[in-house]
Amino acid sequence: MKKKLLALLVSAAMVCSFAGCGNASGGAADNTSGNDAAANNAVENNTPADNAAQNDAQTEAAPAETTGDTYNIGICQLVQHDALDAATQGFKDALIEELGEDSVHFEEQNAQGDSNTCSTIVNSFVSSGVDLILANATPALQAAAAGTNEIPILGTSVTEYGVALDLDDFDGTVGGNISGTADLAPLDGQADMLQEIFPDAKTVGLLYCSAEANSQYQVDTVKGYLEEKGYECKYYAFSDSNDLSAVTTTASNEVDVIYVPTDNTVANNTEIVYNICVPAGVPVIAGEEGICKGCAVATLSISYYDLGVATGKMAAKVLTGESNISEMPIEYAPNFTKKYNAAICEELGVTIPDGYEAIE
């Protein structure tokens, strides 16, 4: 009897013990569900701005990942306009064609014309550990060069690398972690073109952004060629888009023809130049097709898409180890085309000689 009673007591104790464990487990599960619900409610109660901030923070904190043959490419483009957009697209298309769509991931950022934003973008690329940086336009290249001496950098839409990077002994190869492609068209050819279309003009205004080293280089160089041909040249420099209108107005009142180099600020604000120069009857010669399409009569230009393609092929060689970027010389566009803007020529009564291709 005592043995049976003892056995019953032991069994009862075990049942109580199991019941207690079951309740504890159930309680923990209940608490977890409660916590999940609370978390979900917290997310649901966030404002869209809160959620966007959280997403941005997660994006900035997430490191770039390279798995196998997958490469992360940071693209810093100075500003959105036809020429730079074409160069970026050509770069991406070529790299995908060379390595395969699944092998490359692009992190594309636009600085909206602000060189300081270029630095911020580059610093984010460095922090995330991208495999290569494409710097599209001179200020983007300068920011990339200041931001890292380890990650490979390829420039494109850069006029003169020696000037952009302040290299006294530039011989065609930058060295270190930098190479790329240049968009410099023959400036003597552009001077020849201006004379061919406007042989009777006397004064030429050189309209450019003083903050762009590439523009300063071009106007300084073309000035020499134009003066050799007997033209009087005047500088019309503006610091940013805010004073472009005033400076262009002054130029249109003082000169016969205006020359604009491959200037990114003008390229992004061609409507301003058009709305001043066309009513004033002053024609513009442009350094590239995008500017010509917006406000000029003619240009001797390159294909920026093809320039981007050449840069993409260089990137594939760097990423796969086929080429050492420190030994890669700067590449230049192989072809230059005389083009004209038929609509503006008609508005201004400008006759274009044979041998020019109409911009579509």
Side-chain angles (χ1 to χ4, degrees), residues 84-148:
L84 300 191
D85 290 349
T88 292
Q89 190 61 53
F91 172 82
K92 292 164 65 177
D93 289 349
L95 202 49
I96 288 172
E97 182 176 351
E98 293 289 324
L99 301 180
E101 188 171 2
D102 295 335
S103 296
V104 289
H105 170 73
F106 299 106
E107 185 177 344
E108 191 171 346
Q109 300 286 339
N110 192 296
Q112 304 300 323
D114 189 341
S115 58
N116 291 327
T117 303
C118 286
S119 298
T120 302
I121 292 170
V122 167
N123 289 338
S124 72
F125 291 160
V126 173
S127 296
S128 64
V130 297
D131 298 299
L132 183 142
I133 295 173
L134 174 71
N136 193 346
T138 297
L141 176 69
Q142 292 170 330
T148 178

Side-chain angles (χ1 to χ4, degrees), residues 30-47 51 54:
D30 291 342
N31 289 337
T32 301
S33 298
N35 291 337
D36 288 343
N40 290 335
N41 289 334
V43 171
E44 290 174 359
N45 290 331
N46 277 348
T47 65
N51 291 332
Q54 290 176 358

Side-chain angles (χ1 to χ4, degrees), residues 40-264:
N40 290 335
N41 289 334
V43 171
E44 290 174 359
N45 290 331
N46 277 348
T47 65
D50 291 335
N51 291 332
Q54 290 176 358
N55 291 336
D56 288 343
Q58 292 171 354
T59 300
E60 292 175 1
E65 296 180 0
T66 301
T67 304
D69 294 326
T70 299
Y71 303 99
N72 291 288
I73 313 299
I75 299 176
C76 178
Q77 181 173 318
L78 174 63
V79 70
Q80 183 177 7
H81 63 68
D82 289 349
L84 300 191
D85 290 349
T88 292
Q89 190 61 53
F91 172 82
K92 292 164 65 177
D93 289 349
L95 202 49
I96 288 172
E97 182 176 351
E98 293 289 324
L99 301 180
E101 188 171 2
D102 295 335
S103 296
V104 289
H105 170 73
F106 299 106
E107 185 177 344
E108 191 171 346
Q109 300 286 339
N110 192 296
Q112 304 300 323
D114 189 341
S115 58
N116 291 327
T117 303
C118 286
S119 298
T120 302
I121 292 170
V122 167
N123 289 338
S124 72
F125 291 160
V126 173
S127 296
S128 64
V130 297
D131 298 299
L132 183 142
I133 295 173
L134 174 71
N136 193 346
T138 297
L141 176 69
Q142 292 170 330
T148 178
N149 59 5
E150 296 180 355
I151 297 173
I153 299 167
L154 288 175
T156 193
S157 311
V158 175
T159 302
E160 223 289 333
Y161 282 74
V163 172
L165 299 175
D166 195 23
L167 304 175
D168 294 332
D169 56 350
F170 177 64
D171 60 358
T173 301
V174 175
N177 64 322
I178 299 174
S179 188
T181 57
D183 64 354
L184 181 63
L187 297 175
D188 55 346
Q190 292 183 356
D192 291 341
M193 183 183 63
L194 189 150
Q195 185 182 44
E196 184 178 34
I197 301 174
F198 304 108
D200 298 327
K202 302 299 182 183
T203 56
V204 178
L206 307 174
L207 180 67
Y208 69 103
C209 180
S210 58
E212 296 188 36
N214 57 302
S215 295
Q216 185 73 62
Y217 170 80
Q218 289 174 84
V219 295
D220 286 345
T221 304
V222 81
K223 178 175 180 287
Y225 291 127
L226 290 171
E227 288 178 340
E228 288 177 0
K229 297 178 182 299
Y231 293 100
E232 178 187 358
C233 296
K234 298 181 179 180
Y235 287 114
Y236 294 92
F238 57 90
S239 58
D240 54 37
S241 60
N242 293 323
D243 61 344
L244 173 58
S245 178
V247 173
T248 303
T249 299
T250 300
S252 67
N253 290 329
E254 297 178 352
V255 302
D256 300 318
V257 182
I258 290 176
Y259 170 80
V260 177
T262 58
D263 187 282
N264 291 294

